[in-house]
Amino acid sequence: MRFGDRFPPEGAMKETREQYRLSAADQRRLDGVFERIKRDAGTFIGYPCNALFDYSPLYRFLSFPVNNVGDPNVPSNFHLNTHDIEREVLDVFRGLTHAAADSFWGYITSGGTEGNMYGIFLGRELYPEGMVYYSEDTHYSVNKILRCLHVRNIMIKSCPDGRIDLEDLRETIRIHRDVPPIIFANVGTTMKGAVDDLEGIRQILKDLAIQQHYIHADAALSGMILPFVDDPQPWDFQAGVDSLSISGHKMIGSPLPCGVAVAKRSNVERIARSIEYVGTLDTTILGSRSAIAPLFLWYAIRTVGMEGFRRRIRHCFEVADYAVDRLKQVGRRAWRHRNSVTVVFDRPSVGIINKWQLAVQYDTAHLITMPHVTGNLIDRLVADVVADSHEPTGEHVSS
Amino acid sequence: MKQITIISEDRPGVLAEVSEAMAAAGVNIETLDAETIGGAGVLRLTVDRYDVALRALSKTPFHAISEDAIVVQLEDRPGELARIMRRFKEANINLRSVRIIRRGDGTSIVAVDTPRTDEAKELLKDVMVS
């Protein structure tokens, strides 16, 4: 097969795959990396990335230098894009997050962090003197975002179950009542899967008569769980948030990290900037953006379907309950929040942590029952925990 | 000489691990003292190569805090953080960031960053760790 048999066109510089063949050593190196990933995928239980997908029908798109630079809603001079597909994906998320059609805007991001950065960016643009409040259970990347955006911030205590401590939040906001609060709320914390009490947060703002405020929700994993349960905690636009970040590579699953940033359109329009270079009105953080990630998300949404996701979530909860039961049976403390697939349990030995790629914090670890995690996998983990129960716990592995 | 504060679990071996990390990075420790606060180990050290030391410590499991932040010890109870924030408000000193580093045994260790560090230290001297 010719290298790039569709692109570049006839008459372009002729290059063949043979011309650029890897050396034997490089080929071995590549094969080694593949084998390592294949092996470790068999014990991938500690991080919230679904490994259950098959995007092979989309591989043909990898032959083109596609790029979704710019706002997906604005025509661009760069035509090798999938903006139309991206818009369809966003429309699905508009429905999932209960946003009104005429007041919604979003784009597909490089992952949850970019979505969170976008949310805080919007909040800061609206309220340049604002103060960001976030809980100590917030993902560590938020500290980097706060630093990058140079926005003032105060970390608030968490309750033992991982939710933001509303009493601490209330007292801290009360002192800075003249400063618009930018609340960074967690809809599923990284370690415990806790959902911050958005109704409680809004009540605080109401009680303190704070008119100017912004609420961003990090719904990296739970943003694709709560739409599919019967009794979701308040979490989306209906609950009064101004923007949300949801990961694509987590519950949906993707070999490329990706996500969606969704926000109220009126807020986004304030930060729009015209860029002559690509002839587009660019409201996104990045310039070049993946055109493949929207295809993956669209494909998953179209093939799995809403009912399919509902079934998956039910399966994940069943496996999570099974994991809690099994761990308790062998004398470990284990629990999970309602509507969460994150099972928190006593920190095991370093050997277990490394083998099963568990995230740990202080004396706890978690496993996450993503769709690829089965009861059999849980049984194997528990067997390892039992066999290794007399080993001392290590201190050098962080989440 | 600029100081680095390290917050860690209170367990044997931390001192050795920090020393090893510094030695591996070619950093000489000039002064070092350690204490236990609320179940956490707190090390204060000065070194001959400040930036190199911070970079090396960032690769360890310890929280290393530069001299730009003020580390304070608070009781872990509702409103305690707000009490401290009120001092800044009344003194009209802006905060850049307030970050909880560790909680345990009824104590919170908190890092406070402000553009007016010297005045802030005066405000916080009764709760300051470093």
Side-chain angles (χ1 to χ4, degrees), chain A residues 266-285:
Chain A
S266 56
N267 292 339
V268 175
E269 286 170 348
R270 295 200 196 185
I271 66 161
R273 296 284 183 273
S274 181
I275 295 179
E276 288 290 330
Y277 173 53
V278 287
T280 184
L281 188 70
D282 197 349
T283 41
T284 61
I285 286 184

Side-chain angles (χ1 to χ4, degrees), chain A residues 192-211:
Chain A
K192 296 173 181 167
V195 178
D196 286 342
D197 179 358
L198 281 166
E199 286 181 342
I201 290 169
R202 290 183 69 201
Q203 188 61 48
I204 289 171
L205 299 172
K206 190 177 170 190
D207 292 347
L208 298 177
I210 293 172
Q211 303 294 327

Side-chain angles (χ1 to χ4, degrees), chain A residues 350-387:
Chain A
V350 172
I352 303 275
I353 291 167
N354 286 335
K355 176 179 176 182
W356 293 93
Q357 302 161 67
L358 302 176
V360 296
Q361 187 180 58
Y362 304 132
D363 59 348
T364 60
H366 73 208
L367 63 87
I368 304 186
T369 54
M370 300 304 287
H372 67 274
V373 176
T374 61
N376 179 264
L377 214 56
I378 298 296
D379 287 341
R380 286 171 50 204
L381 166 72
V382 171
D384 281 352
V385 168
V386 171

